[in-house]
Amino acid sequence: MNKILIVGSGPAGLTAALYTARAGLEPLVVDGIQPGGQLTTTTEVENYPGFPEAVDGTSLVTLMREQAERFGARHQRGEIVGSDFSGTALKITLDDGTVLESRTVIIATGASARYLGLESEQKLMGRGVSACATCDGAFYRDVPIAVVGGGDTAMEEALFLTRFGSKVYVIHRRDEFRASKIMAKRVIEHEKIKVLWDSVVDEVLDVEKNEVTGLKVKNIKTGELSEIAVSAMFSAIGHKPNTDPFKGQLDMDDVGYLVADNTRTNVEGVFAAGDCQDKSYRQAVTAAGTGCMAALEAERYLEKQGQ
Ligand code: NDP
């Protein structure tokens, strides 16, 4: 049986792998649906300590992975679809039916971008609808683009997209941004950005043409509908923690974030790190930090069990 099973291979999972590998515990890391995690959808990371000239997200996680492998971390491809933490052998099931058993499990499954939930949005996914400006922004040069949301992610995406788009609309459902003051100010004052306050997207156009050509926007105060021409819509309305496979097994809050006390979940031997248990910081460095904490907690737990 494995001593340490780590689910997820972003900064939280890979840091947990590094620490537990150095402790001689030969962790097995299940890569998950997006190997490397959300960082692989980022270009420049300017706020990870130790990289004064910035580093691109994929290179950063590749370095983390190499570092963990150097000390004996093992990897397995696969997506987790279920878990059973009722016995002393903690079990997780992968999409190909494989059941992995371990004495401890560190969950670092991260979070995924949320979408508006419109049928037209779903149909035009990847055809102008995206949730990652850094991945897809460069496809939309010299054309108008829209970003939906009012948090820091929306501000960051909108400012980034001004590098490409001829004009960037920010569509927000209230008359005030949730984002930090400094980011909001940059957006409001940017000459290429136009904010549509009190507004929601009613429909993404044009499903018939199979590409985004515009948006039907509704002002929720007046009920007025209008159309804007854009070639892309970036959803920046928050994230959903990837914790469905742990429903009924682990305590979570009403939106699905795992409840953890210093990374310890309600089940002995099961720890949570990174964005799947963090709705307030969501940074690569905090994910790595909690990955380290979970590793140390798991080591202590195994030691106490005399294993
Ligand atoms: P937030 O939860 O902060 O913001 C989500 C935004 O989307 C809100 O403005 C919300 O509106 C809006 N929204 C939510 N659901 C819908 C919907 N169905 N339709 C329309 N609008 C909707 O998420 P973020 O991803 O922006 O940020 C998450 C955390 O990460 C925050 O703590 C943020 O500060 C942090 N972060 C920090 C960054 C940095 O410091 N560089 C960069 C990016 C994120 P409403 O305001 O009305 O609720």
Side-chain angles (χ1 to χ4, degrees):
M1 193 186 313
N2 294 292
K3 284 189 178 148
I4 307 251
L5 187 61
I6 297 170
V7 195
S9 56
L14 293 175
T15 304
L18 168 64
Y19 272 75
T20 51
R22 283 195 80 236
L25 296 168
E26 298 174 331
L28 178 64
V29 181
V30 177
D31 283 342
I33 196 167
Q34 187 177 35
Q38 293 174 78
L39 269 187
T40 58
T41 63
T42 310
T43 46
E44 293 232 303
V45 181
E46 291 182 329
N47 52 10
Y48 199 86
F51 297 90
E53 302 301 325
V55 56
D56 82 89
T58 303
S59 304
L60 182 56
V61 280
T62 304
L63 289 169
M64 289 180 186
R65 188 180 172 117
E66 284 171 10
Q67 197 174 353
E69 281 173 353
R70 186 179 145 213
F71 296 104
R74 298 166 297 142
H75 285 269
Q76 166 135 5
R77 284 211 165 259
E79 186 190 342
I80 178 171
V81 292
S83 60
D84 179 359
F85 298 146
S86 56
T88 42
L90 304 165
K91 295 180 186 160
I92 67 156
T93 307
L94 303 185
D95 51 344
D96 65 357
T98 307
V99 177
L100 299 170
E101 293 191 354
S102 184
R103 302 249 179 259
T104 63
V105 175
I106 296 175
I107 299 168
T109 45
S112 304
R114 289 179 58 224
Y115 288 89
L116 298 171
L118 301 167
E119 205 181 315
S120 52
E121 174 192 49
Q122 172 67 32
K123 286 196 169 139
L124 294 170
M125 199 74 74
R127 305 194 160 273
V129 172
S130 167
C132 179
T134 44
C135 319
D136 300 328
F139 297 128
Y140 303 101
R141 288 177 193 274
D142 304 319
V143 290
I145 303 173
V147 176
V148 185
D152 279 321
T153 303
M155 303 300 108
E156 236 179 35
E157 304 264 277
L159 290 165
F160 177 76
L161 289 167
T162 58
R163 298 186 199 183
F164 311 106
S166 55
K167 179 173 189 166
V168 178
Y169 294 97
V170 174
I171 302 169
H172 183 41
R173 63 183 177 182
R174 291 190 292 132
D175 60 2
E176 163 182 54
F177 285 137
R178 175 179 296 278
S180 53
K181 293 264 177 301
I182 182 163
M183 296 289 280
K185 187 167 183 280
R186 277 188 212 162
V187 163
I188 290 166
E189 289 176 357
H190 200 288
E191 57 181 13
K192 266 193 180 179
I193 298 179
K194 180 172 167 58
V195 182
L196 304 181
W197 301 106
D198 299 313
S199 298
V200 294
V201 176
D202 198 57
E203 191 184 339
V204 187
L205 308 167
D206 184 331
V207 172
E208 299 280 288
K209 291 203 176 119
N210 208 19
E211 63 176 358
V212 174
T213 58
L215 300 174
K216 201 182 273 182
V217 178
K218 184 177 183 178
N219 182 305
I220 52 174
K221 282 204 170 142
T222 62
E224 189 191 331
L225 280 170
S226 56
E227 278 185 22
I228 55 169
V230 293
S231 300
M233 179 187 85
F234 289 86
S235 176
I237 61 166
H239 288 76
K240 178 185 180 303
N242 299 321
T243 56
D244 285 353
F246 310 108
K247 274 193 181 139
Q249 297 287 323
L250 296 177
D251 287 349
M252 32 185 101
D253 71 7
D254 52 352
V255 276
Y257 284 95
L258 296 177
V259 175
D261 170 21
N262 278 338
T263 74
R264 292 183 298 265
T265 69
N266 59 306
V267 173
E268 289 234 314
V270 180
F271 306 89
D275 287 7
C276 65
Q277 53 86 57
D278 168 19
K279 61 177 159 195
S280 48
Y281 304 107
R282 294 184 46 244
Q283 300 301 300
V285 68
T286 49
T290 52
C292 161
M293 287 164 64
L296 297 178
E297 288 290 338
E299 280 174 43
R300 283 177 198 156
Y301 172 80
L302 285 173
E303 229 168 70
K304 254 201 287 184
Q305 307 285 307
Q307 286 158 8

